[in-house]
Amino acid sequence: MLETLLKEKFGYSSFRQGQKEIIDSIIHRRHVFAVLPTGSGKSICYLLPGYVMEGLVIIVTPLLSLMEDQCEQLRAHGEKRVKALNSFLSYQEKDRILGQLRDLKYLFVSPEMLQNKKLLNQLAKIKLALFVVDEAHCISEWGHEFRTDYLKLANIRHTLGTAPCLALTATANDHVKRDIIKQLDMEECDQYIYPIDRKNISIAVKKCETINEKIEEAISIIKMVHLPGILYCGSRAWTEQLTSIIQVRTHYRVAYYHGGMTSEDRILIQRQFIDGELDLIVCTNAFGMGINKSNVRLVMHFHYPKHINAYVQEIGRAGRDGKQSLAVLLYCPIDDEIPKHLIDQSYPDDDVLARIFSRIKYENAKLHSDELLKIMQEEGASETAAHFLQYQLVQFPNMDLDMEKVHNKIKSTIHERKQHKWRELNEMKRWIETKRCRREAYLELYNEQVIEKREPCCDHCGLNWDIFRKGKRETRSLEKMDTWEERLQKLLNNHLKV
Amino acid sequence: MSYHVFVVLHLIKKFQGDRSIYGIYHLLHGKKSSQTIQDSLLFSAKAFFNSLENLSRENWNNLIRTCCSKHLLQEIKKDHVTLTNVGSDTYLMLSKSYTIPTGLELTAWIDIETRFWKKLKMIIQSLSHMIHHERYYYPVSRQDDIQQWTKNFYRHLEVNRYQLSNQLQKEIKTALSICSDLESGILVYQLSGFQVNGMTIEQLAKVTHLSLFETSFLFKSSLRKLLNQIAAKPDKYPILAKIADLDRPVSAVSLTQSARKTLNLINRGLTLDQIASLRHLTQNTIEDHVVEIAFQDPSFPIDSFIDEKSYQHIQQIIGSLTTKRLSVIKEACRQDISYFMIRLVLAKERV
Ligand SMILES: Nc1ncnc2c1ncn2[C@@H]1O[C@H](COP(=O)(O)OP(=O)(O)O)[C@@H](O)[C@H]1O
Ligand SMILES: [Mg+2]
Ligand SMILES: [Zn+2]
């Protein structure tokens, strides 16, 4: 019985909402598209079938850190037959893993890695139990711009046989859902879509006039409400700057986290946060996906995300334990500059595009070469824009035949993608400006309704901040530090031994 | 901030505008290229190699810009700066209160220090969990080769884990006794183990009320002292010596991996052209490798790249100039002399 297996392998005594139904479909070899809220236990939906079905479970995962986290978590449950393959491994390491495929039960891969011929050859030789795409909204969010390998997953899935496909995400509106199903070519699938509404998260937006006012607001909220908390910012520089300000102005244990840090520092900070040694983490959107911490009480946005999907994902990291938690978005008019700039930066503008095309023509640059990237950047394209353009160009291997046509084609692709990004951004902005219940307003975008309203809902329904106010005892005093000899003893003497 | 300024002025003074600020950045950041490794010797700045691993290009840039706006530095050409008079005075003043930690000068093992540190962190973390009977933990390093190495380490050991952790603790305490408490603390507090999470350098800077640069330097100072102790008396530190693995030939380690590949191909008789096309690299890159090899290995023959006459010509020019700036030397040389030739001679002469 599945329950017995769940208990034996993972130590849980019952299934959570959705898990059993999804697993059942998969075991009956049906394709499954599932939307389950963050923290609801999506991983079990592909891990458990691994113990029932014969063959390898492949999990396509967008982020390196996420992949490694999942691997370590599985190992922590005593499962050794698990590996992560990504482009950052050295040649020898990749080779070693490829040699062991037959002995593995779970393989985490990046979509880029699935382009590797050697891997595909090896995979073709072994039996596949299940093809999983975790955080499947990335297909729609990133696949069209800079990670076009996401769009090739369906093809790869087909070449690997007929194993069922499972697409998992925490947030997908209708548009994203249709895109995922289409891109994975799984029109005939069982769909499990559970309410994304998280009743225990109260939502508020605070408007400020200036950045300074916003900083003050952030600090007073941090001082007032229950922590631990996550503070999202729009740029790396802001995470660092806010961290130092908060460190000076409060006595909370604060650290920043962003993609520019070394992997080792990121691991330390993440562990400190999970183990309760930090009260607040100030981060870019690089932090959070797959992070498993149940008692986050506050998610605050210092800058608003590019679209509402990201917003819902990010606030979903609060209150996984079901206790009342708070999501606050701080807004001031100048914030609008950041996403505008980001969208513009992601694509070459018309002039730049024209200059690049004329240089490709006269210099006969190879499409795959780094040289081409350099040319693009010399002509004023940002790094992201250059990568986007290179991906687009590679779609036309014979473009020297009709350069003009390709030029126009790409121009219109850029136009479409920009329009799309603008629509999403406007949707986000409209939500910030709304006068209605905030929960109703965002759920509507997912064709969902608020069934029973629970207090405290949102700032427009009326929010009593006292609920979140922390007691006196929660203020911390500075701890004395051990000497280095004592610290070393703590590490290398068994202090549990009597 | 002032310690940062002190370090910037100290370095700029050493390089006297002969290298771009990015050249200096690569040195601090520990970029393993032939150019930085040579520069570190040419300008006797080896102590600073790899000393600020976490420094971002952007922060370095900002720092230089700040110093320029305070008129401590002046730009002599794009990305090249020298000290102004105010800068020199400020430097003299700052040197009264600040110093570069002494251990930084112990550069004999800088090629392996980063790897040693990663291995040490992994051993302590795994050992700490083992003696607490906890089998699972999140490794502090996700580098597969380091994880693999850790596994092998235990496979070849005869002592049990309790003996091992006692012995290791004793060795670290003894070896660190030549460091200041501050240095030792900065090193030890970065380590993770059972129910203990290490701190980042930046967090340590906060709690010690030191600047980020000074904290990084103090860490590298203690790490280098530690390695030097191990190298001097390996018998006294058997476990640490095993982790450090100092017996491996250094010359092989100090070539970048890519240069080593090029060397193998040269030894098999391929021309630089052939190597470039075989490896899909530019001719320039391959030439970089050759310069690096010539620099690291004095016995490497270079007569197939430069004739005797040209060599002497360049040698003379270098002797007559006071600068090591390539463009100036090139200007003074015969028309047919290439940058590559000049760099080869500089490497050979180790000027
Ligand atoms: N049936 C269950 N009973 C108890 N805990 C569960 C169950 N399923 C999952 N969990 C736990 O819930 C947490 C979140 O799971 P995870 O798969 O990471 O969530 P998601 O991917 O949906 O965000 C994990 O700690 C997991 O072990
Ligand atoms: Mg998940
Ligand atoms: Zn409401």
Side-chain angles (χ1 to χ4, degrees):
Chain A
M1 228 179 57
L2 287 178
E3 275 84 359
T4 331
L5 202 58
L6 180 72
K7 177 86 193 157
E8 179 195 334
K9 297 291 181 189
F10 299 96
Y12 307 139
S13 35
S14 62
F15 282 108
R16 287 195 185 155
Q17 177 194 48
Q19 287 177 333
K20 189 158 184 202
E21 294 82 344
I22 293 171
I23 293 170
D24 230 42
S25 274
I26 292 170
I27 293 175
H28 288 97
R29 304 186 51 82
R30 302 274 308 155
H31 296 319
V32 174
F33 173 84
V35 180
L36 277 166
T38 326
S40 58
K42 285 186 285 298
S43 316
I44 293 290
C45 300
Y46 57 80
L47 293 178
L48 199 68
Y51 291 111
V52 181
M53 303 166 86
E54 192 194 335
L56 178 74
V57 178
I58 291 190
I59 307 109
V60 181
T61 306
L63 300 180
L64 189 61
S65 57
L66 194 57
M67 197 178 292
E68 286 163 341
D69 275 350
Q70 299 273 6
C71 255
E72 299 301 343
Q73 258 176 53
L74 256 179
R75 289 199 190 110
H77 275 294
E79 177 57 64
K80 290 216 176 81
R81 298 168 300 168
V82 43
K83 283 274 182 227
L85 257 182
N86 55 64
S87 333
F88 293 96
L89 297 177
S90 75
Y91 179 77
Q92 291 96 328
E93 285 159 356
K94 275 184 218 154
D95 251 19
R96 211 178 48 231
I97 296 177
L98 287 185
Q100 317 172 329
L101 280 189
R102 219 171 270 284
D103 306 321
L104 293 183
K105 189 75 225 176
Y106 303 100
L107 180 68
F108 291 87
V109 293
S110 59
E112 287 75 16
M113 196 63 212
L114 270 182
Q115 295 300 308
N116 184 308
K117 288 278 171 311
K118 239 175 164 174
L119 172 63
L120 292 177
N121 283 339
Q122 290 297 321
L123 284 176
K125 289 185 204 154
I126 60 174
K127 188 168 169 55
L128 207 60
L130 178 62
F131 189 91
V132 185
V133 184
D134 198 7
E135 311 285 354
H137 57 277
C138 295
I139 293 181
S140 183
E141 191 179 326
W142 289 343
H144 301 278
E145 268 74 36
F146 66 112
R147 298 186 71 174
T148 45
D149 287 338
Y150 256 117
L151 304 186
K152 301 174 188 157
L153 289 179
N155 262 330
I156 286 164
R157 188 168 74 72
H158 290 313
T159 64
L160 295 179
T162 57
C165 178
L166 166 65
L168 288 168
T169 176
T171 39
N173 57 22
D174 231 32
H175 168 85
V176 174
K177 179 184 109 183
R178 277 201 310 269
D179 200 17
I180 293 172
I181 292 180
K182 177 171 156 230
Q183 298 299 344
L184 288 175
D185 192 18
M186 49 186 275
E187 268 78 13
E188 268 200 31
C189 61
D190 293 350
Q191 299 191 9
Y192 296 95
I193 296 173
Y194 290 89
I196 56 165
D197 185 16
R198 297 275 306 281
K199 296 187 181 58
N200 63 321
I201 301 176
S202 310
I203 305 167
V205 173
K206 288 231 163 188
K207 291 204 176 161
C208 306
E209 290 302 316
T210 63
I211 299 221
N212 277 337
E213 202 181 304
K214 206 163 73 163
I215 294 174
E216 291 307 317
E217 189 67 55
I219 288 176
S220 82
I221 290 173
I222 292 163
K223 281 183 173 167
M224 178 173 75
V225 308
H226 287 292
L227 300 174
I230 305 176
L231 178 53
Y232 280 105
C233 303
S235 72
R236 292 172 180 182
W238 266 109
T239 66
E240 297 191 10
Q241 202 181 331
L242 274 179
T243 301
S244 10
I245 296 176
I246 297 168
Q247 271 168 343
V248 172
R249 301 274 306 273
T250 75
H251 52 266
Y252 289 110
R253 299 163 304 176
V254 189
Y256 61 84
Y257 181 107
H258 59 62
M261 295 158 62
T262 65
S263 126
E264 301 197 345
D265 280 0
R266 266 182 291 154
I267 292 173
L268 284 184
I269 297 296
Q270 184 179 320
R271 290 310 310 169
Q272 290 174 4
F273 184 64
I274 289 174
D275 291 342
E277 294 166 17
L278 292 174
D279 304 303
L280 186 75
I281 193 154
V282 186
C283 54
T284 61
N285 61 4
F287 181 81
M289 220 191 263
I291 297 273
N292 196 356
K293 181 172 171 72
S294 61
N295 66 340
V296 175
R297 294 275 79 88
L298 169 73
V299 171
M300 184 149 59
H301 281 87
F302 194 78
H303 298 110
Y304 63 88
K306 290 198 289 282
H307 48 75
I308 201 108
N309 253 339
Y311 177 72
V312 175
Q313 285 261 349
E314 284 161 12
I315 66 169
R317 283 154 198 156
R320 285 176 165 219
D321 54 9
K323 294 193 184 143
Q324 198 62 44
S325 306
L326 179 64
V328 190
L329 185 147
L330 303 177
Y331 173 79
C332 76
I334 199 167
D335 295 348
D336 297 340
E337 296 306 315
I338 296 183
K340 257 190 219 156
H341 182 72
L342 281 177
I343 293 178
D344 280 339
Q345 282 286 294
S346 306
Y347 309 93
D349 66 28
D350 285 356
D351 291 346
V352 171
L353 192 66
R355 286 205 298 273
I356 291 172
F357 263 92
S358 76
R359 279 193 63 179
I360 293 177
K361 198 158 157 189
Y362 292 114
E363 295 172 28
N364 211 354
K366 297 267 179 306
L367 293 187
H368 285 283
S369 63
D370 288 347
E371 190 191 340
L372 181 60
L373 283 178
K374 218 169 105 195
I375 290 181
M376 292 175 181
Q377 289 178 39
E378 275 168 18
E379 294 304 333
S382 72
E383 204 180 324
T384 335
H387 278 282
F388 165 82
L389 189 54
Q390 190 176 35
Y391 271 122
Q392 295 297 325
L393 287 169
V394 177
Q395 315 293 323
F396 304 97
N398 301 317
M399 74 163 195
D400 32 337
L401 300 180
D402 195 348
M403 197 90 94
E404 188 110 356
K405 203 166 130 199
V406 175
H407 186 164
N408 285 328
K409 187 94 204 307
I410 288 180
K411 216 158 138 182
S412 75
T413 308
I414 291 174
H415 185 71
E416 272 166 39
R417 291 303 300 165
K418 265 194 177 171
Q419 287 292 314
H420 177 70
K421 296 271 160 184
W422 280 113
R423 268 198 304 277
E424 288 185 329
L425 185 64
N426 283 329
E427 201 171 73
M428 183 74 223
K429 281 209 63 186
R430 271 202 305 279
W431 181 83
I432 293 172
E433 300 291 345
T434 190
K435 301 272 187 299
R436 306 163 49 197
C437 166
R438 298 205 178 270
R439 194 174 305 271
E440 273 173 24
Y442 87 73
L443 287 177
E444 197 173 87
L445 301 171
Y446 297 88
N447 296 325
E448 208 176 307
Q449 280 157 12
V450 180
I451 302 166
E452 45 154 351
K453 197 158 275 185
R454 205 169 100 180
E455 290 286 305
C457 174
C458 68
D459 52 345
H460 287 161
C461 293
L463 200 63
N464 179 1
W465 286 74
D466 284 342
I467 302 170
F468 307 101
R469 208 177 286 275
K470 56 188 150 215
K472 273 278 172 288
R473 274 178 304 123
E474 258 182 88
T475 47
R476 306 178 34 82
S477 61
L478 280 177
E479 290 153 34
K480 193 185 141 289
M481 284 181 83
D482 294 332
T483 67
W484 65 269
E485 289 97 338
E486 286 164 348
R487 180 89 169 183
L488 203 57
Q489 262 169 31
K490 235 183 215 167
L491 288 163
L492 292 176
N493 284 0
N494 184 339
H495 53 269
L496 299 181
K497 223 164 42 186
V498 263
Chain B
M1 190 59 188
S2 346
Y3 192 82
H4 288 188
V5 173
F6 166 66
V7 172
V8 169
L9 298 182
H10 185 88
L11 284 162
I12 298 299
K13 193 166 167 344
K14 268 187 189 300
F15 283 86
Q16 300 196 344
D18 275 355
R19 286 294 179 272
S20 80
I21 54 171
Y22 299 111
I24 304 174
Y25 170 74
H26 290 317
L27 175 83
L28 295 169
H29 200 243
K31 182 178 174 190
K32 260 202 162 189
S33 76
S34 27
Q35 189 65 50
T36 35
I37 294 171
Q38 279 176 63
D39 280 356
S40 69
L41 290 177
L42 290 181
F43 298 94
S44 47
K46 201 169 178 193
F48 293 93
F49 183 77
N50 204 26
S51 60
L52 295 172
E53 282 174 284
N54 289 345
L55 179 65
S56 75
R57 213 180 148 96
E58 204 183 342
N59 286 348
W60 176 246
N61 240 333
N62 288 341
L63 202 52
I64 299 280
R65 229 179 300 140
T66 314
C67 289
C68 286
S69 69
K70 287 186 183 158
H71 307 293
L72 301 172
L73 298 176
Q74 61 199 355
E75 190 155 16
I76 50 169
K77 66 172 196 185
K78 191 169 184 308
D79 299 333
H80 289 65
V81 294
T82 54
L83 260 57
T84 59
N85 288 336
V86 185
S88 298
D89 293 348
T90 310
Y91 176 69
L92 278 182
M93 200 188 68
L94 289 175
S95 342
K96 285 184 193 134
S97 23
Y98 295 123
T99 55
I100 306 291
T102 52
L104 226 52
E105 296 287 346
L106 305 170
T107 55
W109 305 99
I110 50 175
D111 287 330
I112 59 161
E113 67 186 15
T114 303
R115 202 175 148 76
F116 167 71
W117 176 236
K118 285 183 179 167
K119 291 191 288 188
L120 184 64
K121 280 194 290 190
M122 277 294 282
I123 290 295
I124 294 204
Q125 188 193 25
S126 52
L127 202 50
S128 175
H129 282 87
M130 270 153 60
I131 59 170
H132 291 97
H133 307 282
E134 179 60 60
R135 284 175 63 194
Y136 304 110
Y137 54 90
Y138 285 80
V140 283
S141 168
R142 274 160 176 173
Q143 233 171 295
D144 225 36
D145 58 325
I146 301 284
Q147 291 193 8
Q148 206 61 36
W149 175 90
T150 311
K151 262 186 225 156
N152 285 333
F153 180 84
Y154 290 110
R155 207 166 287 156
H156 303 299
L157 273 183
E158 275 137 43
V159 291
N160 73 35
R161 49 184 138 169
Y162 301 106
Q163 289 169 331
L164 184 62
S165 70
N166 278 337
Q167 174 66 22
L168 184 56
Q169 189 180 162
K170 218 172 356 178
E171 286 182 20
I172 296 177
K173 276 190 179 156
T174 319
L176 285 183
S177 63
I178 57 156
C179 297
S180 69
D181 278 344
L182 185 59
E183 283 177 333
S184 306
I186 289 173
L187 186 135
V188 169
Y189 262 88
Q190 290 179 67
L191 300 165
S192 299
F194 179 72
Q195 292 181 352
V196 178
N197 285 318
M199 295 168 77
T200 65
I201 287 278
E202 198 169 335
Q203 291 177 319
L204 283 163
K206 277 267 150 50
V207 298
T208 52
H209 303 288
L210 294 173
S211 74
L212 192 55
F213 281 14
E214 191 165 11
T215 316
S216 305
F217 284 172
L218 285 166
F219 161 55
K220 276 293 150 81
S221 171
S222 60
L223 184 65
R224 288 174 187 178
K225 283 181 185 169
L226 184 66
L227 267 166
N228 251 51
Q229 288 278 304
I230 301 169
K233 294 181 192 131
D235 298 336
K236 198 170 158 194
Y237 308 106
I239 308 289
L240 285 174
K242 202 162 151 44
I243 299 173
D245 198 11
L246 300 174
D247 296 335
R248 279 212 286 168
V250 177
S251 68
V253 192
S254 52
L255 276 189
T256 56
Q257 206 164 14
S258 193
R260 206 172 312 148
K261 276 188 198 151
T262 298
L263 178 60
N264 289 338
L265 295 172
I266 292 176
N267 288 339
R268 276 165 43 190
L270 273 71
T271 67
L272 299 193
D273 263 351
Q274 289 168 329
I275 296 174
S277 72
L278 186 73
R279 299 194 56 198
H280 302 290
L281 293 172
T282 61
Q283 178 94 13
N284 264 336
T285 310
I286 302 297
E287 288 177 359
D288 280 348
H289 292 163
V290 174
V291 173
E292 180 183 342
I293 297 162
F295 189 74
Q296 293 288 340
D297 179 4
S299 65
F300 177 73
I302 59 163
D303 29 326
S304 55
F305 310 113
I306 183 170
D307 60 279
E308 185 66 33
K309 258 206 168 124
S310 308
Y311 192 102
Q312 282 167 1
H313 170 67
I314 300 171
Q315 213 178 3
Q316 259 177 12
I317 302 283
I318 295 173
S320 68
L321 292 173
T322 51
T323 177
K324 290 161 193 162
R325 202 180 307 153
L326 290 176
S327 54
V328 178
I329 300 174
K330 173 96 161 71
E331 194 75 359
C333 282
R334 286 195 329 246
Q335 283 281 311
D336 61 316
I337 299 291
S338 67
Y339 276 112
F340 176 48
M341 291 173 170
I342 299 171
R343 290 179 50 209
L344 261 181
V345 176
L346 281 169
K348 264 292 179 212
E349 299 287 309
R350 284 182 163 254
V351 283

